[in-house]
Amino acid sequence: MKPADSSGATGVRVEIDDVQSGALRPRPVPYEGKFIFLRVDDRHAGRALLRRLLPVTSGGLPDADRSGEAWVAVAFTYQGLRALGVPQESLDSFPQAFRAGMAARAELIGDVGESAPAHWEAPFGTGDVHIALSALSSDAAQLDRELKRARVAYEDTPGVQVIWQQEVRQLPTGRTTFGFRDGISHPNIEGVGLPGSNPQEAPIKAGEFILGYPDETGSLPPMPEPEVLGRNGTYAAVRKIHTNVAAWRRYLRANSSSAEEEARLAAKMVGRWPSGAPLTLTPEHDDPELAADPQRVNNFLYRENDDRGYRCPASAHIRRTNPRDSTIIGDARMHRLIRRGTTYGPPLPEGVLEDDGADRGLVGVFLGAHLERQFEFIKAEWVNDGNFIGYPGEQDPVAGHHGGTGTVTIPEKPVRRRLQNLPSFVVTRGGEYCFVPGLRALRWLAELEG
């Protein structure tokens, strides 16, 4: 196994070629992709499928020439591991949140009201999702070739059924359905050899993202047994999120007196301008040139550059989900995630304020070694609870569940601005907790007996 170049004083060497490419590689730009969910009706068929998928599943980091690259990732729900016949002793060694599944944790993470599991799109939350395949590429033709190889694997395996598929792609604008560039930030992970996006971020311990290595506490993260199953694996929270773009535009219009003020209000709620330029560095206007510079677009901290939130409000979406050095309860480094947002559905035409009935939004994948301390903590404490920013009762203005009664505070001089009656701009259509094993673990699962 080829170790990646190490960084940091501990000299941690991550077995990068054993880590699935889908776990650590930043999403390509532009991108085409597909998510496929499978149900395993026969454990022997499921294992046969894994043997066919092994040659399709890649590990490691991208080559210097990234043109035309594509990769397939394989992940499992707890029910999927059971369906494959993983021994009960091993199943019991997984963390409780993973064993329960995302639907059972819905209230904790704020999936309530119209986002509650009772309204989720099938098969999310039903227990039928066993294997999750994902494929991404910067090139549509290369993606088709990789998907064809994967399709041959599962179509030639009786006893395994495709139960859900979702195509994703970057919109022609290069932005999300809300009109903002995303996929900008990636953590600096010790021992991986892949630079982070923020030059001011010290390398984060590999164990925050990959099992089998020390995390920020100095200890090994809890790992499923046997070691061959857990090592070099990670967890993924997979979410399908519908975006109510018309409601977003109407709310901005109703609370602004000009197009310029409308754009500024949207940026205050997101924390970046549409180009991706951060308010912390350019608070008064968008700066596409800054946004296009990878050395500058993420080169900022909050406490040092904007402690009071006059540039980027503490309530802004990107500040809540990654507060960097902000004054908060806890250590932000212990709640970092690898985020993979991908867009589905058609864009709502520019300027349209009424919903056209189309399903659009994002399929998000949030990766880390600690489901409870990372994904669930961020959702429960930072997205849905305002206490850490000093405004009890407020939620993330973009990602929170507001139901028409939400509030957001924007620090301004001489008097702060407080917006009322926020509707919910996003609705959860479903989600699953998945385990993304290393390649050796994938082979171990494929060779299970009994």
Side-chain angles (χ1 to χ4, degrees):
M1 196 63 60
K2 183 178 69 177
D5 291 338
S6 62
S7 61
T10 61
V12 168
R13 299 165 69 85
V14 176
E15 296 172 329
I16 195 69
D17 288 350
D18 193 46
V19 180
Q20 288 199 49
S21 296
L24 291 178
R25 290 189 188 197
R27 189 198 64 198
V29 177
Y31 65 89
E32 300 267 349
K34 192 167 188 175
F35 291 85
I36 303 166
F37 287 175
L38 304 166
R39 187 185 68 230
V40 176
D41 296 324
D42 177 273
R43 65 177 58 176
H44 300 287
R47 297 166 188 171
L49 168 67
L50 298 188
R51 291 193 288 273
R52 295 187 176 103
L53 284 176
L54 271 168
V56 184
T57 310
S58 57
L61 298 177
D63 296 329
D65 177 10
R66 302 182 61 182
S67 61
E69 66 176 352
W71 60 88
V72 173
V74 184
F76 305 87
T77 63
Y78 175 75
Q79 296 300 332
L81 295 175
R82 286 189 64 189
L84 287 168
V86 171
Q88 191 62 45
E89 181 181 13
S90 178
L91 292 171
D92 291 342
S93 67
F94 280 89
Q96 197 275 332
F98 174 72
R99 285 182 280 144
M102 189 182 290
R105 313 279 284 183
E107 193 165 338
L108 170 71
I109 61 177
D111 283 337
V112 297
E114 58 184 336
S115 289
H119 306 295
W120 285 4
E121 175 182 321
F124 286 105
T126 64
D128 282 347
V129 180
H130 293 162
I131 299 176
L133 300 182
S134 63
L136 278 178
S137 178
S138 57
D139 179 88
Q142 183 63 25
L143 178 71
D144 286 343
R145 286 191 286 273
E146 292 301 308
L147 283 174
K148 183 178 181 180
R149 295 174 66 199
R151 191 164 55 244
V152 168
Y154 58 73
E155 286 184 346
D156 286 350
T157 311
V160 175
Q161 303 295 325
V162 175
I163 57 174
W164 185 81
Q165 300 183 68
Q166 180 71 62
E167 293 183 352
V168 294
R169 60 176 52 86
Q170 188 176 54
L171 296 177
T173 59
R175 298 174 181 175
T176 67
T177 54
F178 281 141
F180 288 78
R181 178 185 165 210
D182 70 346
I184 299 171
S185 181
H186 186 82
N188 185 353
I189 306 172
E190 183 181 274
V192 166
L194 192 67
S197 55
N198 183 357
Q200 299 190 52
E201 182 179 68
I204 297 174
K205 298 295 184 184
E208 292 294 321
F209 306 99
I210 303 297
L211 300 174
Y213 306 90
D215 62 18
E216 287 288 318
T217 70
S219 303
L220 293 175
M223 195 167 72
E225 299 172 349
E227 183 179 8
V228 66
L229 175 61
R231 187 172 178 83
N232 295 323
T234 188
Y235 295 97
V238 182
R239 312 261 291 163
K240 181 175 180 179
I241 306 293
H242 171 74
T243 51
N244 193 341
V245 179
W248 168 256
R249 290 177 181 174
R250 287 198 302 270
Y251 190 82
L252 296 173
R253 181 71 54 87
N255 289 278
S256 305
S257 58
S258 66
E260 290 74 19
E261 187 179 329
E262 196 175 318
R264 187 170 183 272
L265 176 58
K268 287 286 186 180
M269 294 167 73
V270 172
R272 292 186 186 271
W273 297 95
S275 71
L279 266 69
T280 305
L281 298 182
T282 175
E284 298 302 326
H285 58 81
D286 201 351
D287 186 344
E289 186 176 335
L290 185 158
D293 185 343
Q295 299 303 315
R296 293 197 292 155
V297 68
N298 254 315
N299 192 355
F300 64 93
L301 298 172
Y302 290 118
R303 185 165 51 191
E304 180 176 318
N305 301 113
D306 184 28
D307 193 32
R308 304 293 296 275
Y310 287 115
R311 291 170 171 247
C312 179
S315 57
H317 174 65
I318 69 162
R319 191 161 179 167
R320 277 180 172 268
T321 53
N322 180 17
R324 304 184 185 218
D325 65 334
S326 294
T327 304
I328 57 169
I329 298 173
D331 183 347
R333 292 170 60 83
M334 295 175 64
H335 306 291
R336 288 283 270 135
L337 281 171
I338 297 173
R339 294 178 169 83
R340 300 279 161 65
T342 55
T343 299
Y344 75 89
L348 187 66
E350 192 69 28
V352 172
L353 297 178
E354 297 301 322
D355 187 58
D356 60 0
D359 189 17
R360 59 176 59 85
L362 64 90
V363 176
V365 178
F366 306 91
L367 294 137
H370 306 268
L371 277 173
E372 293 181 65
R373 172 149 69 76
Q374 294 170 318
F375 175 76
E376 292 193 342
F377 178 91
I378 291 171
K379 286 287 292 175
E381 301 296 332
W382 290 352
V383 170
N384 295 319
D385 190 328
N387 285 333
F388 94 96
I389 61 168
Y391 302 120
E394 293 193 11
Q395 298 184 349
D396 184 318
V398 180
H401 173 73
H402 305 295
T405 61
T407 302
V408 60
T409 301
I410 299 174
E412 292 182 347
K413 294 179 179 178
V415 180
R416 67 189 181 191
R417 186 179 187 190
R418 179 161 287 167
L419 300 175
Q420 309 282 355
N421 303 321
L422 269 75
S424 297
F425 301 117
V426 300
V427 178
T428 306
R429 289 283 165 85
E432 298 286 348
Y433 286 155
C434 296
F435 174 62
V436 187
L439 296 183
R440 283 195 297 252
L442 199 57
R443 191 169 296 108
W444 181 85
L445 289 166
E447 295 172 352
L448 282 170
E449 296 180 352

